[in-house]
């Protein structure tokens, strides 16, 4: 069996005789692990080979009647563990919603060997023992019993006196949602009986009122079936009717109270649409996709922003479902694509399951079960949806395939949802369509080399023009003194004009908070995080300094930590500051901000979107959240506040990411009118990436970027494995990293190893990061055995030199 723990091996347990018939592969079982601990695991296979190295223990219980996991999932998870060099247990941990795992709670029972007469007990102890004679108790029960909040000391004493035993009570985490309902007792559902009842209640007007309201909601006589489902009990309390009268009616058996298990996932199935209207160009693109899928497994759909890729997806999904297959649509982040999910619901209603991380565990378990029970044939979800129990997947669509957020950074498995989905499709023999307005270099390359099909869709829906893109040269404007609060005259006058025309504006700045740092004007000191080597971001609204890496916060200091000067200034601009300053420049404008700080609450994101789409907001300022998938008819201007910062990120993908981010955010402008304008503020307008963006020249950008990648041996020409050595002590981290580098050079050739070097953020959460890179040729022979060699060298170094003082992280496909 597999345990959801970061251990490299599988474990064998003995099946007790009485459970032999109930266990099968894929079932969840509870097993003892370590001292007094219980874990949920999943049965991989049932066999007759007792392990030689340890004594098998018996499993405790079987949790499933039908298996939770199937053979496709095991095959997929095996691939993932091998490819990303991690433990099968780590993959299982990522795959199973935690609602499937168990929580164990310590329970206290009386020691059967305890003899009360032989020891002295306090009054409280005696009371506990008394109670334990008939019940087992939790810590909480005991706390209530003796009216004392901390019960640990008293329990410890009782254990010493050998009076009690602790054990773990295992509980299933998933709990179905239950609602209380009411319906009219069967005997009153005839016209005659009902009339008599009304008469009886004449003298009890409040009870009569309750009954009347029920009959208004549930036409018992006119529609005989309507009484069976009844209505929710909360209906009466919500309409302000007397609860006690309702209780009396239940007691007198006029109403019947019952409970119903309901799904947490409800849809507006009533608005279901059946036909997708495709434009001529969409139709042609779809036909081309279908044609190419005849001979190829994957097709790249390169559709510019606003070209209507979603309609094509809907058509393809319907087709696949009609053929009796399951379909999966992957989106980078569901919260950011609320609009797409709403549109899909109109077509697929309750045959569609939505799976993402903002859902509760219970909701995720329901989607998983729903797929197994055949209630869904289409899932839309984030990267973790690749772990769902599909059995006959026919089509996977990966929207915005270039998105960095498909990659899981931490913890293991450090997988890319796009690449994993391609493997999942292969396992199911399914087809894949990858969509993007700005395809990743790797995907475009795969299409160019004919491994994948390629379908361009280079016009916007309805032949609306792409936005006009202009650069605001910040060097010139600064010299001319036309920059106000970080806004160029070019951008500011465009904003004024757009608002005057009753149109809307989006301003993009990929940095939240007020200012990235606070600086002492006298000594230059900058407050840093105590556990990371980064400056603390100034948040004006909450009046604190915050580390965006570890969450550390402190109050804004009144004076410099180092020289006690009071002259502290903020440096740089985050979204909070831009919002503030723009409001000063444009006092009449309705300005709102969309970033991590304003969207923490569950519905705040949706509220902002609604307010913006109803034009209650003139200017929306935001981080990368505003770049993705939003579709607002009235937005005519997009401003990129600081394009330069992105270009100098220390990463071989920096140019690609800059290109993608700016093109994506530009795509929010003029989607219906064709009057969209984009203004990019930069101090280096001559950088080639801006010319490609301005001229909408993806091919030019791609050709240049591919050339650079080949020159410097980066993907898609190589595979880059990133290894980080983390240690609390910098010297130790460096020593281990050097030792590791030497061993790797010996094993796989020194030319393939780069580093070690101190990471761009040297210290994070108190751990020093030293990194090294391994570049393997794309077509290298014996790739898996080389990877396994790397893993075993790393494992060895970890055991010898790091132990519990740090970690070594392997990321086989750095993103
Ligand atoms: Zn100072
Ligand atoms: Zn920090």
């Amino acid at each position: 069996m597999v345990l959801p723990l970061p251990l490299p091996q599988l474990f064998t347990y003995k099946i007790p005789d009485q459970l032999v018939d109930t266990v099968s592969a894929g079932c969840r079982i509870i097993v003892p692990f370590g001292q007094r601990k219980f874990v949920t695991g999943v049965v991989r296979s049932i066999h007759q080979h007792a392990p030689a190295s340890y004594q098998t223990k018996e499993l405790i219980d079987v949790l499933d009647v039908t298996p939770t996991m199937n053979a496709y999932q095991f095959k997929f998870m095996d691939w993932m563990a091998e490819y990303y060099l991690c433990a099968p247990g780590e993959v299982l941990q990522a795959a199973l919603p935690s609602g499937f795992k168990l929580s164990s709670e310590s329970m206290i029972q009386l020691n059967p060997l305890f003899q009360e007469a032989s020891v002295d007990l306090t009054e409280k102890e005696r009371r506990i023992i008394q109670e334990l004679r008939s019940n087992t108790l939790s810590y909480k029960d005991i706390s209530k019993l003796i009216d004392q909040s901390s019960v640990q000391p008293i329990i410890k004493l009782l254990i010493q006196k050998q009076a009690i035993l602790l054990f773990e009570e295992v509980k299933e985490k998933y709990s179905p949602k239950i609602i209380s309902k009411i319906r009219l007792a069967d005997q009153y559902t005839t016209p005659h009986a009902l009339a008599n009842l009304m008469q009886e209640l004449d003298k009890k007007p409040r009870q009569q009122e309750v009954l009347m309201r029920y009959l208004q909601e549930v036409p018992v006589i006119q529609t005989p079936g309507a009484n069976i489902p009844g209505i929710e009990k909360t209906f009466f309390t919500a309409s302000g009717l007397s609860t006690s009268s309702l209780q009396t009616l239940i007691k007198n058996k006029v109403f019947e109270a019952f409970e119903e298990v309901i799904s947490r996932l409800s849809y507006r199935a009533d608005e279901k649409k059946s036909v997708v209207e495709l434009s001529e160009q969409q139709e042609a693109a779809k036909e081309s996709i279908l044609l190419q899928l005849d001979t190829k497994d994957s097709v790249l759909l390169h559709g510019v922003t606003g070209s209507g890729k979603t309609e094509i997806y809907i058509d393809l999904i319907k087709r696949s479902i009609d053929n009796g297959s399951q379909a999966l649509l992957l989106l980078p982040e569901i919260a950011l694509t609320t609009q797409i999910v709403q549109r899909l619901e109109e077509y697929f209603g309750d045959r569609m399951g939505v799976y993402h991380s903002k859902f509760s565990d219970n909701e995720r378990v329901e989607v998983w079960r729903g797929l197994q029970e055949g209630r869904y044939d289409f899932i839309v979800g984030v990267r973790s949806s690749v772990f769902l129990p599909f059995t006959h997947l026919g089509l996977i669509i990966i929207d915005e395939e270039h998105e960095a957020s498909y990659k899981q950074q931490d913890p293991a498995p450090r997988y890319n949802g796009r690449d994993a989905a391609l493997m999942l499709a292969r396992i199911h023999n399914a087809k894949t369509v990858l969509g993007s307005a700005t395809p990743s270099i790797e995907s475009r390359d795969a299409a160019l080399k004919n491994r994948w099909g390629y379908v361009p869709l280079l016009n916007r829906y309805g032949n609306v023009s792409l936005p006009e893109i202009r650069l605001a040269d910040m060097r010139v404007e600064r010299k001319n003194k036309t920059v106000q609060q970080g806004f160029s005259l070019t951008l500011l006058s465009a904003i004024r004009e757009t608002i005057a025309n009753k149109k809307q504006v989006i301003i993009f700045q990929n940095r939240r908070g007020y200012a990235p740092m606070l600086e002492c004007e006298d000594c230059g000191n900058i407050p840093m995080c105590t556990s990371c080597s980064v400056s603390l971001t100034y948040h004006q609204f909450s009046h604190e300094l915050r580390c965006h890496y570890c969450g550390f916060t402190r109050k804004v200091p009144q004076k410099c930590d180092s020289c006690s000067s009071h002259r502290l200034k903020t440096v740089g601009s985050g979204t909070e500051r831009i919002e503030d300053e723009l409001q000063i420049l444009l006092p009449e404008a309705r300005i709102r901000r969309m970033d991590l700080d304003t969207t923490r609450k569950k519905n705040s994101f949706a509220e902002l979107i609604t307010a913006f789409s109803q034009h209650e907001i003139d200017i929306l300022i935001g981080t990368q959240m505003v770049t993705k998938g939003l579709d607002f008819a009235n937005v005519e201007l997009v401003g990129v506040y600081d394009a330069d910062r992105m270009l100098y990120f220390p990463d071989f993908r920096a140019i690609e990411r800059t290109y993608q981010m700016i093109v994506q955010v530009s795509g929010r402008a003029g989607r219906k009118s064709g009057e969209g304008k984009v203004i990019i503020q930069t101090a280096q307008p001559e950088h080639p990436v801006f010319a490609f963006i301005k001229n909408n020249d993806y091919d030019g950008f791609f050709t240049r970027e591919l050339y650079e990648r080949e020159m410097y041996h980066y993907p898609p020409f190589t595979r880059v494995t990133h290894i980080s050595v983390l240690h609390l002590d910098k010297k130790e981290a460096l020593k281990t990293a050097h030792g590791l580098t030497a061993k790797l050079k010996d094993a796989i050739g020194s030319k393939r190893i780069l580093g070690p070097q101190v990471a761009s953020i040297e210290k994070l959460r108190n751990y020093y990061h030293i990194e090294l890179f391994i570049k393997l040729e794309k077509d290298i022979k014996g790739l898996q055995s080389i990877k396994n060699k790397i893993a075993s060298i790393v494992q060895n170094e970890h055991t010898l030199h790091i132990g519990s003082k740090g970690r070594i992280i392997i990321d086989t496909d750095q993103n």
Side-chain angles (χ1 to χ4, degrees), residues 169-187:
E169 187 178 71
V170 180
K171 283 188 181 159
E172 187 138 21
K173 275 190 180 171
Y174 170 72
S175 55
K177 188 170 175 181
I178 293 168
I179 49 167
S180 303
K181 295 183 94 176
I182 295 293
R183 64 187 159 217
L184 196 61
D186 219 20
Q187 64 194 89

Side-chain angles (χ1 to χ4, degrees), residues 545-755:
L545 296 177
R546 212 180 285 166
C547 173
H548 284 185
Y549 290 87
C550 73
F552 168 81
T553 58
R554 60 177 281 196
K555 280 256 169 306
V556 176
Q558 294 303 308
K559 50 186 189 189
C560 172
D561 296 335
S562 133
C563 75
S564 298
S565 160
H566 288 267
R567 305 201 314 138
L568 302 176
K569 64 168 184 195
T570 53
V571 182
S573 294
T575 44
E576 197 184 331
R577 178 180 214 153
I578 296 174
E579 182 189 18
D580 242 41
E581 300 191 330
L582 197 56
Q583 194 71 75
I584 297 167
L585 295 168
L586 305 167
E588 306 292 310
R590 296 165 300 172
I591 305 177
R592 294 281 296 276
R593 171 160 60 94
M594 183 188 278
D595 57 26
L596 205 59
D597 300 316
T598 62
T599 55
R600 271 183 223 280
K601 283 193 218 134
K602 197 178 176 189
N603 293 318
S604 46
F605 184 81
E607 278 160 23
L608 262 175
I609 296 225
T610 310
F612 195 56
S613 66
Q614 292 172 353
H615 205 161
E616 288 157 19
I617 299 170
D618 298 311
I619 305 173
L620 185 65
I621 295 166
T623 54
Q624 54 175 334
M625 281 188 186
V626 300
T627 64
K628 294 171 203 169
L630 299 183
D631 191 359
F632 301 107
N634 206 37
V635 173
E636 294 212 335
L637 176 67
V638 165
V640 178
Y641 185 86
D642 177 8
D644 300 342
R645 220 177 66 84
M646 296 181 263
L647 283 174
Y648 294 102
F649 208 74
D651 174 14
F652 72 90
R653 285 184 215 274
I655 307 288
E656 183 186 358
R657 297 266 184 257
T658 307
Y659 177 86
Q660 287 163 345
M661 224 179 267
I662 296 181
V663 171
Q664 291 287 345
V665 72
S666 303
R668 307 307 119 211
R671 291 170 75 90
K672 293 278 146 50
S673 63
E675 303 281 316
K677 245 191 246 148
V678 179
I679 292 171
I680 302 169
Q681 301 199 128
T682 169
Q684 32 205 320
E686 68 282 352
H687 194 292
V689 75
F690 294 122
F692 296 131
I693 292 171
K694 258 184 81 155
N695 301 329
N696 184 29
D697 182 9
Y698 174 84
D699 290 341
F701 152 75
F702 170 78
T703 309
R704 186 192 143 98
E705 188 62 21
L706 194 70
Y707 172 77
E708 299 258 318
R709 299 277 180 93
E710 187 163 23
M711 284 285 292
Y712 299 105
H713 309 291
Y714 277 114
F717 299 96
T718 55
R719 307 161 185 273
V720 178
T721 294
H722 179 243
I723 297 184
S724 327
V725 177
L726 279 63
H727 202 286
L728 290 167
D729 182 298
K730 189 178 173 183
K731 269 191 206 139
E732 288 296 318
L734 274 167
K735 210 172 93 189
T736 309
H738 277 289
L740 179 61
T741 307
K743 294 219 168 74
L744 286 169
K745 281 184 172 173
D746 275 351
I748 54 179
S750 59
K751 276 193 186 148
R752 296 195 175 106
I753 318 289
L754 271 88

Side-chain angles (χ1 to χ4, degrees), residues 529-532 534 536 547-552 764-765:
C529 177
T530 49
S531 7
C532 314
V534 294
L536 293 169
C547 173
H548 284 185
Y549 290 87
C550 73
F552 168 81
L764 267 181
R765 296 187 164 88

Side-chain angles (χ1 to χ4, degrees), residues 352-520:
M352 172 179 101
V354 184
Y355 195 73
H356 72 81
S357 50
K358 282 225 169 142
F359 271 16
S360 69
D361 284 328
N362 284 330
E363 286 168 324
R364 286 199 274 173
V365 168
E366 281 181 19
V367 174
W368 184 295
R369 291 286 186 225
L371 191 63
Q372 277 182 323
E373 289 157 12
R375 272 185 283 126
Y376 304 123
D377 32 36
F378 166 43
I379 300 290
V380 50
V382 291
R383 60 166 183 260
S384 54
S385 324
V386 295
F387 295 114
L388 285 169
F390 295 101
T391 46
H392 49 287
L393 202 47
L395 175 70
I396 301 181
I397 293 176
I398 307 166
D399 190 28
E400 309 291 356
E401 64 83 23
H402 65 278
E403 264 290 333
S405 49
Y406 274 126
K407 171 83 180 184
Q408 166 143 324
Q409 300 294 354
D410 211 35
R414 295 178 175 79
Y415 67 104
N416 184 316
R418 172 194 58 200
D419 303 340
L422 285 162
M423 180 46 70
L424 182 67
R426 199 188 289 180
I427 289 171
H428 281 264
N429 231 335
K431 302 288 182 183
T432 314
V433 174
L434 301 98
S436 175
T438 50
S440 62
I441 300 293
E442 284 89 336
S443 296
R444 182 68 187 100
D445 185 56
L448 214 60
K449 297 205 169 115
N450 252 327
R451 283 193 286 124
W452 298 356
Y454 178 70
V455 177
L457 187 60
L458 301 179
N459 288 312
R460 279 185 157 182
Y461 183 81
N463 276 326
V464 167
S465 332
L466 281 165
E468 176 205 334
I469 296 176
R470 286 163 59 198
L471 302 177
D473 187 335
M474 297 306 275
R475 273 177 319 197
V476 173
E477 292 226 15
R478 280 204 192 99
K479 209 192 273 165
N480 297 343
K481 302 217 178 335
T482 51
V483 178
Q484 276 182 286
Q485 325 273 24
F487 281 89
S488 60
L489 184 62
T490 319
L491 180 53
L492 196 58
S493 46
I495 296 175
R496 286 207 169 99
E497 196 188 330
T498 309
I499 298 178
N501 291 335
K502 305 259 179 296
K503 300 294 178 188
Q504 289 168 290
V505 180
I506 289 178
I507 304 288
F508 167 58
Q509 165 73 332
N510 209 7
R511 186 152 225 179
R512 67 192 169 90
Y514 188 86
M517 58 182 91
L518 202 63
E519 190 184 39
C520 170

